Amino acid sequence: MISEKSLAAFAKEVAKYPPEQRQSAVMACLQIVQQESGFVSSESERLVADYLGMAPMAVHEVTSFYNMYNQKPVGKYKLNVCTNLPCQLRQGAQAMAHLKAKLGIDANQTTPDGLFTLQECECLGACADSPVMLVNDTAMCSFMTDDKLDQLVDGLRAMEVKS
């Protein structure tokens, strides 16, 4: 189920396009769903498909293609580490391995305390700054050495203790 507030936000997004192109609002509607629920469920995909007059599979293709859409609940801090070839050549695999060991989880898993979800991603468009990662789909972190990764994780954990 989706709130009336989110349905109003859907309408606002759809209004940006000519009526015959309302499907162009699919990404915005999926983002609205994710903001409300924390992830995009199969039920939410069907709701967006019905609202936009799309096939449910077409909406699922968008959800599953882009890393920014969570298809299941994630931790408070989603850490996406670029593991595309250019980043691999510049210690991207080492950054991922370090985070796996530090957090005690594998890729696509969440720590037992619900704080961190670790994911691989394809390209963040910052190959010269690698290893790079994106935190919560908004904060880009560059040149992530083991020390910087430790500082990031420890700093986020410390913020939780203070809360």
Side-chain angles (χ1 to χ4, degrees):
M1 198 63 169
I2 192 157
S3 70
E4 290 298 320
K5 180 180 176 185
S6 289
L7 286 174
F10 279 16
K12 186 175 180 180
E13 292 299 325
V14 168
K16 295 177 182 177
Y17 302 97
E20 68 278 2
Q21 294 178 1
R22 68 184 288 123
Q23 295 176 353
S24 297
V26 65
M27 292 182 73
C29 290
L30 289 170
Q31 186 62 36
I32 292 164
V33 166
Q34 182 161 291
Q35 286 174 340
E36 181 173 302
S37 304
F39 70 105
V40 180
S41 66
S42 297
E43 178 184 321
S44 297
E45 287 178 346
R46 284 189 297 280
L47 188 144
V48 169
D50 290 345
Y51 188 89
L52 297 176
M54 298 175 68
M57 179 52 75
V59 174
H60 180 70
E61 288 170 344
V62 175
T63 306
S64 61
F65 181 79
Y66 292 102
N67 240 37
M68 62 192 167
Y69 300 117
N70 306 318
Q71 296 179 58
K72 60 182 183 179
V74 296
K76 183 172 183 178
Y77 302 106
K78 184 170 79 168
L79 308 178
N80 282 321
V81 179
C82 183
T83 55
N84 207 344
L85 183 58
C87 282
Q88 288 285 5
L89 296 173
R90 296 177 54 118
Q91 305 304 311
Q94 168 57 34
M96 178 59 91
H98 184 78
L99 284 170
K100 286 178 180 180
K102 181 162 185 72
L103 298 172
I105 58 173
D106 207 346
N108 300 315
Q109 292 183 340
T110 300
T111 55
D113 61 7
L115 275 183
F116 297 97
T117 296
L118 183 59
Q119 296 180 334
E120 294 182 76
C121 64
E122 273 302 307
C123 184
L124 295 174
C127 304
D129 296 350
S130 66
V132 294
M133 63 185 297
L134 193 61
V135 179
N136 288 348
D137 300 318
T138 57
M140 177 78 81
C141 302
S142 301
F143 307 107
M144 296 306 290
T145 63
D146 290 352
D147 287 341
K148 283 186 172 183
L149 292 167
D150 289 343
Q151 289 173 17
L152 174 71
V153 170
D154 295 344
L156 292 172
R157 277 195 176 126
M159 285 183 5
E160 293 305 310
V161 172
K162 291 179 182 177
S163 297

